[in-house]
Amino acid sequence: MPQNLFKELAQLEQVEALALGGSRAGQHFDQDSDYDVYVYLSAPLAPAIRQEILSKYCSYMEIGNQFWELEDDCVLNNGIEIELIYRSLDDFDQDLRTVVLEHQAQNSYTTCMWYNLIHSKILYDRDGRYAALQTKYSLPYPAELKKNIISKQLLLLDQAMPAFSRQIKKAIKRQDLLSINHRSSEFFASYFDALFALNEQLHPGEKRMLQYAKENCSRLPRDFEANIQDYFQHLYQPDQQQKAVLALDSLLDNLKHLIEASI
C-alpha cells in the first residue's frame, strides 16, 4: 500500500479524509486488483498540485478524468493501478441521505454508495467526519427502501412497456447484437438490485455480483446460477437464442416467485 502517498495527501489543507474502497479494502483481491482511494475535499485541489504529488509515486498518470466522478487514474511505480476519486463529504452525505433516509430507489446499484461507506477503510480522517458518517449510516436496512427498490426493479425488468426483458427479446428478433448486449447488462443490473434488496444486503458494485449473491444472500431464486449460465451460453448463437429466452423467462419467474414468498 502506498503509505507515503497517503501521508503526503493528508498534509494538504483541502483534504478532509482518505478512504480505501473496492476489493483492496477487503479480502477478495488479486494481483490485478487496483487501489480505489476516495479523497474527500473541503475545496478543489488544483490538477497541477495533484500531478506534482502523484509523479513521485506513479509511472503513468491520467489527471482529471471525469467520465463518472472526478478522478486521477494512475499506475504506481510497482505496476499496480490506483484510482484517486475526489469527492465532497457534504455531497456524499446528501447522496446517502437520499437513499438510506429518504428511501429513494435508483434504476440500479441503489445502495452502492452505502456499501462503499460502510466497507471502506479509513486511511485519514482529520476531524472524524468520515467516521461520523459511518456511524450515522450504520443502520438496519429500511423496509421502505427495500419495498421501493423491488417495486422499481420489477417495473424495469418486465412490467413496464420499456422493460429490459421486452427490449432483449426485440433485439434478439432483430439480431441486433449491440442492443442485445446493452439490454442484457441493464437487465442484470436491475435484477441484482432487486435481489440484494430482497435479502437486505448492500449492493457491492458491478464486480463479482454472482459470487457475492451466493455468499451473502440467504434467499436465492430457484435455478439461479444455472439460468444465468444458460442465458449467456446461448445468447449469441442465433440457432440457440430461444434457449436464452427460456432462461430469461425462468430468471424472471423464479425471482418473482421468491419475492412473493418472502414479502
Side-chain angles (χ1 to χ4, degrees):
M1 192 177 296
Q3 297 287 4
N4 290 335
L5 169 59
F6 301 151
K7 289 179 181 178
E8 190 160 352
L9 288 170
Q11 293 172 6
L12 300 172
E13 63 177 346
Q14 298 97 324
V15 175
E16 289 194 88
L18 298 169
L20 177 66
S23 56
R24 290 275 180 180
Q27 303 298 320
H28 298 291
F29 65 88
D30 54 39
Q31 61 183 4
D32 295 320
S33 298
D34 59 7
Y35 288 102
D36 296 319
V37 179
Y38 297 88
V39 184
Y40 291 91
L41 301 173
S42 60
L45 188 58
I49 295 175
R50 303 190 328 248
Q51 183 167 359
E52 181 182 359
I53 293 173
L54 288 167
S55 65
K56 303 174 188 177
Y57 306 97
C58 300
S59 60
Y60 176 80
M61 299 175 291
E62 293 181 4
I63 303 297
N65 282 341
Q66 202 162 355
F67 303 111
W68 297 277
E69 301 180 72
L70 174 64
E71 59 188 62
D72 296 332
D73 300 302
C74 308
V75 179
L76 294 166
N77 290 330
N78 62 6
I80 298 176
E81 295 181 7
I82 184 171
E83 295 179 11
L84 296 103
I85 300 98
Y86 300 94
R87 292 175 174 172
S88 155
L89 276 173
D90 290 335
D91 292 344
F92 190 43
D93 187 12
Q94 182 55 53
D95 289 342
L96 290 162
R97 172 182 292 276
T98 298
V99 171
V100 185
L101 303 183
E102 298 174 6
H103 312 141
Q104 293 186 25
Q106 300 174 4
N107 285 356
S108 57
Y109 303 104
T110 298
T111 56
C112 274
M113 286 291 194
W114 192 9
Y115 180 98
N116 177 255
L117 170 72
I118 297 300
H119 291 277
S120 289
K121 290 184 177 180
I122 297 174
L123 303 173
Y124 169 72
D125 194 12
R126 185 179 65 203
D127 302 312
R129 289 190 65 199
Y130 192 91
L133 283 183
Q134 286 186 325
T135 299
K136 177 181 178 180
Y137 291 106
S138 292
L139 300 170
Y141 203 108
E144 189 71 16
L145 176 63
K146 176 179 177 177
K147 182 186 76 172
N148 291 344
I149 292 174
I150 291 172
S151 297
K152 184 161 192 171
Q153 301 316 331
L154 287 176
L155 287 171
L156 288 169
L157 287 168
D158 85 324
Q159 293 177 351
M161 286 186 64
F164 298 127
S165 60
R166 297 171 186 260
Q167 295 185 49
I168 289 170
K169 292 173 183 178
K170 288 180 181 179
I172 288 174
K173 286 182 180 179
R174 299 182 182 123
Q175 285 300 292
D176 185 342
L177 293 179
L178 295 179
S179 182
I180 290 171
N181 186 66
H182 178 264
R183 297 302 187 266
S184 295
S185 296
E186 296 294 329
F187 173 89
F188 282 103
S190 287
Y191 181 93
F192 278 96
D193 211 36
L195 183 60
F196 292 141
L198 178 66
N199 284 272
E200 300 181 3
Q201 291 289 328
L202 303 187
H203 199 308
E206 74 277 8
K207 299 175 184 175
R208 301 186 177 97
M209 285 190 290
L210 179 59
Q211 177 184 346
Y212 183 84
K214 289 165 58 180
E215 293 176 353
N216 295 279
C217 295
S218 60
R219 291 173 290 184
L220 293 173
R222 185 166 57 87
D223 300 327
F224 165 67
E225 186 173 10
N227 281 328
I228 293 175
Q229 291 175 344
D230 284 345
Y231 179 74
F232 285 107
Q233 181 179 350
H234 302 296
L235 184 60
Y236 297 104
Q237 303 176 56
D239 62 339
Q240 300 280 317
Q241 285 174 326
Q242 187 55 37
K243 293 181 179 179
V245 171
L246 292 174
L248 182 69
D249 289 339
S250 184
L251 277 166
L252 283 168
D253 289 343
N254 292 340
L255 177 64
K256 287 187 283 188
H257 290 157
L258 180 63
I259 290 171
E260 291 168 1
S262 303
I263 294 180

